[in-house]
C-alpha cells in the first residue's frame, strides 16, 4: 500500500479547505466585491471579541453533532441526509417536554434532552428500517422525511401548540433550560454535551463490539454477513444513532439558545452542513470536531461578510460544496499537487 | 353547460399535467444518467440551476431587445447550464471515481449556494428574481395541423376544457421527449451503447464501446433534460426564479424514475401519479375539504406518496447492473 502517502491523507482535508476558500475568494472578486474586507469581517466575527468567540462555539456545537450523525451513518455505508427532519422532530418533542411538565431541574432537563434524542432517533430509524427490510435507498427517504417533518412541525405548532399570536411553542421552563457558560454570548453547556457525544461515539465505534460490527458492515456488507453480523440490525442501529445525534443538535438549540420551538419557515440548515463537516473530518470524531469549528467559523462570519463587503451569505454553501467535491474526489488534489502525473486511483 | 364536477375534473387534469411536467423531465434526466451507470441524485440541483439560468438568459435576452425570442434564449441557457453542472458530476464520478452519491449531494449544495449567490449578485433583490417573460402558452389543439388530430376532444367536454385551453408548451415538450427518449434508448445504436455501459461495462469495452465517453454522454443528456425541467418551472409554470423553488421535486422525479423501472414510459406514468398528488391540493379546496384536511398535510402528500411508492415497489424494480460502480480498465 502507498504508506508514504499517509501524510497526504491527513493533508487532503486541509488542502481541500484551502482550495475551496481560494476559489471562493476568486468568486467574490469576480462579482466585484472586495475579498480583503470580506475576509477581515469573517475573521473579526469569530475572534474579534470574547462574545464572538462564544458565539463561534455556539454555532459549532450543533455542527459537531450533525457531523457525527452523518459520520456514524457513513461508517455503516449509509447516507444520512435526513438531519434536517431529525432536528425538527427532536426540537418539537424537547420543547413540548420542556414547557408542559413540572419537574425539578435535575429530572426535567435530562428528560427533555432524552425525549428529543429519541424523537430524532425514531425519525432516523424509519429510513433505516425501510433500507434494512425493503432495500429502499435511504437518500430519497431521508429527504422525503425532511419535507414531511418540515410541514408537520409547522402545522402542529400553528394549529395546536401556540398560545399567543407568535408561531412558536410556549417558552421552555427554567428547569429544562441549558445554562449559559460564556455570557453575553449564547453558548451553553450544550457544548459539553456535544464533546461528550464525540467521545462516546469514538469509544462506541472503536472500542465496542457493536461499533466494530457497524464499521464492518460499512466496509463490506457481504463479508460482514458472511462473518455472522446482522446487517439489517446494524443498518437500523446506525440510522437510529445518527438520528439521535442530529436530534441532540436540535435539542441543544431549542433548550439552550431559543428556549422555544418556532414553527419553521425554512429548514434549519445545519443538518446539511453536517455532511460537509463529516466528510472534511474524515468521518472520525476528532476530525468532525475540528471541521465543525471551521464551518462554525464560516457560518458565524457569513452575515458579517454580507453586511460589510456585500458578499451574499450563500457563499458558504459554495465553500461547503467545493470542500465536499475536493475531499470526495481526492484525486483532484493529488493530481494538482503532483503535477498531473497521477491520474488514476490504483487499487491493490 | 358543463356540470360542476366535470369542470372540477377538468381543472384537476390540467393541474396534474402542469405539476407532472417538471417531474417527468426530471425523471427522464435521471434515466439517461443512471442507464449509463452513473447514479445521479443531483437532479434537484441541476433543475435549480436550470431554473435560475433560464431566468438569467431570458432577462438578458429581453434587455438585448430580443422580444418574443427571449424565453427561448432562456431555455437554451438553461440547457447549457444544466449540461455544464452535470459534466462536473460526470468528471468527479467518471474520471476521479468518487462516490457518486456524495458527488450528487455536493452538486445539490453547490446549486443552492450558487443560485442564491448569483441571484443576489446579478439581480440585487434577495430571494426572488425580477419577473421575466415566460414561454408563451399555446393552445396546440386549436392550431393546424393538430386541430385535425384533436377533433375528438369536442366529444369529451372534460378533456376539451382541460387540454383545449392555452397550456404551457413544456407539457407538450415533456410528452414529446418521453417518446423521443424511449426511441433513442431502445431503438438506436447510441441508446444501446448507453444501456450496455450501464449493465456490463467490461463487455461493452471489449467490443469497442468507449465506456467513459458514453457515460459522459449519458450524464450530459441528463444535464440537458434537467435544465429543461428547471426551465419548465421558472419560465413555464411561473415567470421568475425564487430561492429553492424546486422544493424536493428533483428527488420526487428520481422516485418516479425508480417507480417507472428506469423506463421512459414507466417514468411518465409514475410522474403522473405524483403530479396528481400535488394537484390534489386544488381538488381538496374545490371539494371544500380545506377545513377538514390541513393545508400542510396536503402539501406533505407527494412526499409521503413517494415513500410509500418506493417501499411498496422496490422489490420489483431492478436498476442497471453496473449502476454506481466506477469503471476501471483492466481490472478483473
Amino acid at each position: 500500500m502507498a504508506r508514504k502517502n499517509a501524510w497526504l491523507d491527513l493533508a487532503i482535508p486541509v488542502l481541500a479547505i484551502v482550495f475551496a476558500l481560494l476559489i471562493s475568494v476568486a468568486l467574490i472578486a469576480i462579482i466585484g466585491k472586495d475579498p480583503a474586507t470580506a475576509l477581515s469581517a469573517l475573521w473579526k466575527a469569530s475572534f474579534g471579541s470574547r462574545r464572538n468567540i462564544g458565539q463561534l462555539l455556539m454555532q459549532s456545537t450543533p455542527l459537531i453533532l450533525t457531523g457525527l450523525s452523518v459520520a456514524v451513518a457513513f461508517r455503516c455505508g449509509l447516507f444520512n441526509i435526513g438531519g434536517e427532519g431529525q432536528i425538527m422532530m427532536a426540537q418539537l418533542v424537547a420543547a413540548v417536554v420542556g414547557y408542559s411538565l413540572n419537574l425539578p431541574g435535575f429530572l426535567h432537563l435530562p428528560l427533555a434532552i432524552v425525549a428529543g434524542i429519541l424523537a430524532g432517533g425514531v425519525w432516523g430509524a424509519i429510513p433505516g428500517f425501510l433500507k434494512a427490510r425493503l432495500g429502499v435507498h435511504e437518500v430519497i427517504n431521508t429527504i422525503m422525511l425532511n419535507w414531511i417533518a418540515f410541514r408537520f412541525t409547522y402545522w402542529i405548532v400553528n394549529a395546536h401548540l401556540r398560545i399567543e399570536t407568535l408561531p412558536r411553542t410556549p417558552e421552555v421552563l427554567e428547569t429544562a433550560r441549558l445554562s449559559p457558560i460564556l455570557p453575553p454570548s449564547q453558548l451553553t453547556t450544550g457544548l459539553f454535551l456535544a464533546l461528550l457525544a464525540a467521545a462516546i461515539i469514538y469509544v462506541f465505534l472503536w472500542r465496542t463490539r457493536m461499533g466494530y460490527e457497524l464499521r464492518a458492515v460499512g466496509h463490506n456488507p457481504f463479508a460482514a454477513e458472511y462473518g455472522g453480523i446482522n446487517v439489517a440490525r446494524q443498518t437500523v442501529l446506525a440510522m437510529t444513532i445518527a438520528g439521535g445525534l442530529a436530534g441532540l443538535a436540535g435539542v441543544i438549540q431549542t433548550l439552550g439558545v431559543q428556549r422555544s420551538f418556532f414553527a419553521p419557515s425554512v429548514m434549519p440548515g445545519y443538518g446539511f452542513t453536517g455532511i460537509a463537516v463529516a466528510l472534511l473530518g474524515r468521518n472520525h470524531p476528532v476530525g468532525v470536531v475540528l471541521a465543525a469549528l471551521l464551518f462554525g467559523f464560516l457560518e458565524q462570519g457569513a452575515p458579517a461578510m454580507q453586511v460589510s463587503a456585500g458578499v451574499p451569505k450563500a457563499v458558504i454553501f459554495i465553500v461547503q460544496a467545493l470542500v465536499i467535491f475536493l475531499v470526495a474526489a481526492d484525486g483532484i488534489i493529488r493530481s494538482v499537487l503532483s503535477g498531473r502525473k497521477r491520474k488514476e486511483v490504483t487499487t491493490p | 353547460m358543463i356540470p360542476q364536477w366535470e369542470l372540477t375534473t377538468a381543472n384537476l387534469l390540467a393541474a396534474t399535467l402542469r405539476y407532472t411536467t417538471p417531474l417527468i423531465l426530471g425523471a427522464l434526466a435521471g434515466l439517461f444518467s443512471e442507464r449509463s451507470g452513473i447514479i445521479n441524485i443531483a437532479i434537484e440541483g441541476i433543475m435549480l440551476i436550470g431554473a435560475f439560468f433560464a431566468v438569467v438568459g431570458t432577462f438578458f435576452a429581453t434587455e438585448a431587445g430580443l422580444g418574443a425570442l427571449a424565453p427561448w434564449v432562456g431555455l437554451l441557457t438553461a440547457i447549457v447550464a444544466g449540461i455544464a453542472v452535470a459534466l462536473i458530476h460526470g468528471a468527479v464520478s467518471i474520471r476521479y471515481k468518487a462516490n457518486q452519491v456524495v458527488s450528487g449531494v455536493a452538486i445539490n449544495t453547490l446549486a443552492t449556494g450558487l443560485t442564491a449567490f448569483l441571484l443576489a449578485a446579478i439581480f440585487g433583490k434577495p430571494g426572488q428574481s425580477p419577473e421575466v417573460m415566460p414561454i408563451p402558452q399555446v393552445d396546440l389543439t386549436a392550431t393546424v395541423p393538430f386541430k385535425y388530430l384533436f377533433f375528438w376532444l369536442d366529444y369529451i367536454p372534460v378533456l376539451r376544457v382541460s387540454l383545449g385551453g392555452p397550456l404551457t408548451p413544456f407539457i407538450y415538450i415533456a410528452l414529446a421527449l418521453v417518446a423521443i427518449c424511449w426511441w433513442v434508448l431502445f431503438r438506436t445504436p447510441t441508446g444501446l451503447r448507453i444501456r450496455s455501459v450501464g449493465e456490463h461495462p467490461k463487455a461493452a469495452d471489449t467490443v469497442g464501446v468507449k465506456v467513459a465517453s458514453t457515460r459522459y454522454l449519458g450524464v450530459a443528456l441528463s444535464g440537458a433534460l434537467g435544465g429543461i425541467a428547471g426551465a419548465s418551472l421558472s419560465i413555464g409554470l411561473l415567470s421568475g426564479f425564487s430561492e429553492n423553488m424546486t422544493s424536493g421535486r428533483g428527488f420526487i422525479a428520481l422516485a418516479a424514475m425508480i417507480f417507472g423501472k428506469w423506463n421512459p414510459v414507466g417514468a411518465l406514468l409514475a410522474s403522473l401519479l405524483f403530479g396528481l398528488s400535488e394537484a390534489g391540493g386544488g381538488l381538496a379546496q374545490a371539494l371544500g375539504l380545506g377545513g377538514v384536511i390541513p393545508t400542510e398535510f396536503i402539501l406533505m402528500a407527494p412526499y409521503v406518496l413517494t415513500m410509500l411508492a418506493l417501499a411498496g415497489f422496490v422489490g420489483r424494480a431492478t436498476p442497471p447492473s453496473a449502476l454506481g460502480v466506477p469503471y476501471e480498465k483492466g481490472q478483473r
Side-chain angles (χ1 to χ4, degrees), chain B residues 308-332:
Chain B
L308 292 173
L310 286 177
F313 213 70
V314 151
R316 286 157 267 171
T318 22
S321 309
L323 184 63
V325 182
Y327 180 59
E328 313 247 7
K329 247 177 166 1
Q331 194 187 36
R332 287 199 138 268

Side-chain angles (χ1 to χ4, degrees), chain A residues 92-180:
Chain A
L92 175 71
V93 170
V96 169
V97 170
Y99 78 74
S100 62
L101 294 179
N102 263 308
L103 293 172
F106 71 91
L107 278 181
H108 198 184
L109 180 60
L111 189 64
I113 294 176
V114 169
I117 295 178
L118 285 177
V122 166
W123 213 243
I126 297 175
F129 179 75
L130 289 171
K131 171 84 187 253
R133 272 304 213 93
L134 300 170
V136 186
H137 205 293
E138 68 279 6
V139 170
I140 300 187
N141 271 335
T142 47
I143 291 170
M144 293 296 114
L145 283 170
N146 283 347
W147 287 97
I148 293 173
F150 183 54
R151 301 278 181 217
F152 175 75
T153 52
Y154 185 86
W155 167 74
I156 204 169
V157 170
N158 272 313
H160 290 290
L161 296 180
R162 59 170 172 178
I163 51 175
E164 316 136 24
T165 46
L166 289 174
R168 60 178 183 84
T169 63
E171 271 209 13
V172 164
L173 302 175
E174 281 285 341
T175 44
R177 292 193 197 162
L178 289 168
S179 327

Side-chain angles (χ1 to χ4, degrees), chain A residues 320-343:
Chain A
Q320 270 184 51
L322 289 171
V323 163
I324 299 178
F325 275 127
L326 291 170
V327 171
D330 49 11
I332 300 179
I333 295 184
R334 285 178 209 267
S335 67
V336 166
L337 285 184
S338 50
R340 300 195 176 279
K341 275 187 303 227
R342 322 172 100 250
K343 274 193 310 183

Side-chain angles (χ1 to χ4, degrees), chain B:
Chain B
M1 275 316 327
I2 305 175
Q4 181 60 34
W5 75 266
E6 284 203 24
L7 211 56
T8 310
T9 321
N11 285 331
L12 182 65
L13 226 55
T16 302
L17 283 174
R18 282 203 302 273
Y19 286 117
T20 302
T21 303
L23 294 180
I24 180 62
L25 290 166
L28 289 174
L31 224 146
F32 271 102
S33 175
E34 301 226 341
R35 276 283 184 173
S36 78
I38 303 290
I39 299 179
N40 191 352
I41 63 163
I43 301 292
E44 173 89 357
I46 298 176
M47 277 173 68
L48 195 61
I49 295 255
F52 178 74
F53 281 96
V55 168
V56 169
T58 311
F59 183 81
F60 286 109
T62 319
E63 299 273 304
L66 285 173
L69 216 53
W72 298 101
V73 171
L75 179 60
L76 200 60
T77 320
I79 294 177
V80 170
I83 295 179
V85 170
L87 284 177
I88 299 177
H89 177 57
V92 169
S93 305
I94 300 172
R95 180 173 154 140
Y96 294 102
K97 304 188 172 71
N99 184 305
Q100 293 163 20
V101 178
V102 173
S103 173
V105 171
I107 298 259
N108 289 335
T109 313
L110 181 68
T112 310
L114 199 62
T115 52
F117 186 79
L118 291 175
L119 180 63
I122 298 179
F123 294 115
K125 261 198 320 171
Q128 173 83 35
S129 81
E131 224 180 291
V132 290
M133 180 165 78
I135 295 212
Q137 305 197 321
V138 289
D139 182 0
L140 217 57
T141 58
T143 56
V144 174
F146 296 103
K147 203 157 78 149
Y148 303 105
L149 219 65
F150 283 105
F151 74 93
W152 47 270
L153 271 185
D154 287 325
Y155 296 100
I156 312 177
V158 174
L159 290 181
R160 168 120 284 270
V161 172
S162 60
L163 293 179
L167 289 176
T168 169
F170 279 105
I171 296 180
Y172 302 111
I173 294 175
L175 293 173
L177 279 171
V178 171
I180 295 174
C181 288
W182 181 88
W183 187 76
V184 166
L185 207 53
F186 294 109
R187 290 280 183 272
T188 64
T190 310
L192 182 60
R193 271 183 238 125
I194 291 177
R195 283 184 291 132
S196 68
V197 301
E199 297 286 345
H200 204 314
K202 188 136 195 63
D205 198 9
T206 51
V207 294
V209 175
K210 294 195 186 52
V211 176
S213 345
T214 312
R215 285 182 165 178
Y216 273 115
L217 177 65
V219 172
L221 288 172
S222 181
L225 288 162
I228 300 177
S232 80
L233 280 175
S234 65
I235 57 172
L237 292 176
L238 300 167
S239 50
F241 177 81
S242 40
E243 270 188 38
N244 285 314
M245 68 187 302
T246 42
S247 300
R249 284 198 186 85
F251 296 105
I252 301 181
L254 278 177
M257 173 193 75
I258 297 174
F259 204 22
K261 298 193 190 199
W262 286 268
N263 179 305
V265 177
L268 171 66
L269 296 173
S271 304
L272 278 168
L273 185 63
F274 292 126
L276 179 62
S277 75
E278 259 197 270
L283 176 66
Q285 305 281 61
L287 292 178
L289 286 179
V292 177
I293 305 180
T295 343
E296 284 84 10
F297 280 90
I298 298 174
L299 289 172
M300 252 195 250
Y303 307 112
V304 176
L305 181 62
T306 303
M307 288 186 70
L308 292 173
L310 286 177
F313 213 70
V314 151
R316 286 157 267 171
T318 22
S321 309
L323 184 63
V325 182
Y327 180 59
E328 313 247 7
K329 247 177 166 1
Q331 194 187 36
R332 287 199 138 268

Side-chain angles (χ1 to χ4, degrees), chain A residues 23-33 305-306 310-319, chain B residues 52 110-125 127 241 243:
Chain A
I23 297 174
S24 305
V25 165
L27 260 177
I28 294 175
I30 288 176
I31 62 164
K33 311 290 178 187
M305 279 204 288
Q306 183 163 313
V311 174
K313 281 189 293 184
V315 72
I316 52 174
F317 282 119
I318 300 179
V319 173
Chain B
F52 178 74
L110 181 68
T112 310
L114 199 62
T115 52
F117 186 79
L118 291 175
L119 180 63
I122 298 179
F123 294 115
K125 261 198 320 171
F241 177 81
E243 270 188 38

